[in-house]
Amino acid sequence: MAAKFPNYVPAGVIPAALMPFNEDLSIDEKSLRSHIRDLASVKGISSLCVNGVSQETPGLTLDEQKRGMDIMADEVGDKVPLMHGVIAQGPIDAAQIARQAEAGGASCLLVFPPPVFARGSAMLPEMALGHYKAIADATDLPLIVFQYETSTGMAIPLDTLVRLSEEVPSLAAIKDRSNNPMEHERNIRVLQNLSRPVNVLTTHSAWLLPSLVLGCNGILSGSGSVHADLHVALWNAIQNNDLATAKKINDKIYPMSSCFYSAPTLDMHTRMKEALVMLGRLPSARVRLPWVELSDQERVNVRKALTQSGLL
């Protein structure tokens, strides 16, 4: 299947979908179809992120990733561009996933750094350059760099990101999770003002309003799986320089972001699943390892956040 949005540029509001499972932990295909339709129906989103960490892709086989993509493309692939995650140990597997995603109808690729990057990619730019060039050689789709926190060891230094933009023409954006306002602002100012601009998509969902005020060109967030409409409203308010309205919307979002992104952060998407169960949008919050089910107290916290935000 060829991409149906060949000129898509990653920007705007991009919710990251979740992956529902049956009680036996097989993919709940019926609920996946319903979930992806719900997200695609939100007026004002620009695309959907699929087969990323929010869909627990590290716990899926490559065949399951393909099956999930086939289902989601069948449901909404002609209505909204699909951004496909590339989560791999190295460039050979990454290139295979990229080709599979392109054949399945993806419009762009969100490339996660391999764990081995923590052993030296910041000091050896060739590690990052080689990885992204291998993927770019395998596909014509635009690439998005997932920029991690510096503390993880997997962050790509800004000067290397600039080199990537020069040496990999298909690089279109970064998903910025630097989690440092100074680094975030610097990334925005430098990358979005290159001769060939690279968009900065914020995933700082725990402090989304200040992130947007800094001028990034999009939101890419798992919490959009729960309240994409609020992200759209917040995005529009910021684009219109209407800070008063933006603050009111942020006040609705705040209880949920405080809950979803509390420690341990690995549970963020599990909390979102529980929220969708409470809202009647998913039948089950089952997860696969390495994720584990929430405690009863965590469920109480999720319900309280939804209530405080006015969703329940």
Side-chain angles (χ1 to χ4, degrees), residues 28-299:
D28 182 348
E29 296 189 1
K30 180 180 178 181
S31 295
L32 178 58
R33 288 180 181 275
S34 175
H35 175 56
I36 207 75
R37 284 197 306 269
D38 284 347
L39 294 180
S41 70
V42 177
K43 186 177 180 180
I45 67 165
S46 64
S47 62
L48 291 175
C49 182
V50 301
N51 274 337
V53 168
S54 66
Q55 286 199 308
E56 301 171 48
T57 298
L60 300 179
T61 67
L62 195 57
D63 285 343
E64 287 175 321
Q65 291 184 48
K66 182 180 185 302
R67 177 58 183 162
M69 180 62 183
D70 288 344
I71 290 169
M72 292 181 285
D74 179 57
E75 285 293 334
V76 304
D78 59 347
K79 300 178 181 67
V80 62
L82 297 177
M83 175 187 294
H84 193 290
V86 177
I87 302 174
Q89 294 293 323
I92 296 174
D93 288 346
Q96 180 182 355
I97 293 170
R99 287 189 291 266
Q100 179 172 293
E102 183 172 22
S107 292
C108 59
L109 301 172
L110 173 62
V111 182
F112 292 72
V116 71
F117 273 24
R119 297 191 175 190
S121 65
M123 294 179 287
L124 297 171
E126 291 75 16
M127 288 179 68
L129 291 166
H131 188 74
Y132 281 89
K133 285 179 179 178
I135 299 170
D137 287 343
T139 175
D140 293 327
L141 294 181
L143 305 183
I144 299 98
V145 172
F146 195 133
Q147 177 71 336
Y148 273 55
E149 301 95 321
T150 300
S151 61
T152 65
M154 294 189 287
I156 300 176
L158 181 57
D159 57 352
T160 304
L161 288 172
V162 172
R163 279 189 63 185
L164 272 172
S165 75
E166 296 168 346
E167 299 181 26
V168 182
S170 57
L171 180 64
I174 72 166
K175 175 181 177 177
D176 194 341
R177 202 183 80 181
S178 57
N179 206 27
N180 180 311
M182 293 177 65
E183 290 184 23
H184 185 48
E185 181 172 7
R186 184 185 60 183
N187 290 340
I188 291 167
R189 289 181 178 273
V190 172
L191 296 177
Q192 293 184 174
N193 288 288
L194 296 173
S195 57
R196 188 182 66 80
V198 172
N199 283 341
V200 175
L201 312 174
T202 184
T203 190
H204 296 116
S205 303
W207 47 283
L208 189 54
L209 176 58
S211 173
L212 292 177
V213 169
L214 290 174
C216 52
N217 279 341
I219 305 169
L220 176 47
S221 172
S223 57
S225 62
V226 178
H227 51 74
D229 56 336
L230 292 177
H231 279 175
V232 170
L234 181 61
W235 172 259
N236 289 338
I238 293 296
Q239 302 313 300
N240 293 327
N241 290 316
D242 186 351
L243 185 57
T245 297
K247 289 171 68 175
K248 290 179 181 177
I249 298 165
N250 189 60
D251 285 344
K252 292 194 67 174
I253 294 174
Y254 183 77
M256 289 182 287
S257 63
S258 297
C259 173
F260 295 158
Y261 299 102
S262 60
T265 55
L266 184 65
D267 283 343
M268 65 176 76
H269 302 119
T270 312
R271 296 176 183 125
M272 294 167 198
K273 274 190 175 180
E274 289 285 358
L276 291 184
V277 170
M278 293 174 187
L279 293 170
R281 299 184 205 164
L282 284 182
S284 171
R286 294 300 304 275
V287 292
R288 286 186 181 180
L289 290 171
W291 289 266
V292 297
E293 294 187 15
L294 297 184
S295 67
D296 289 342
Q297 183 57 55
E298 282 268 29
R299 293 187 180 93

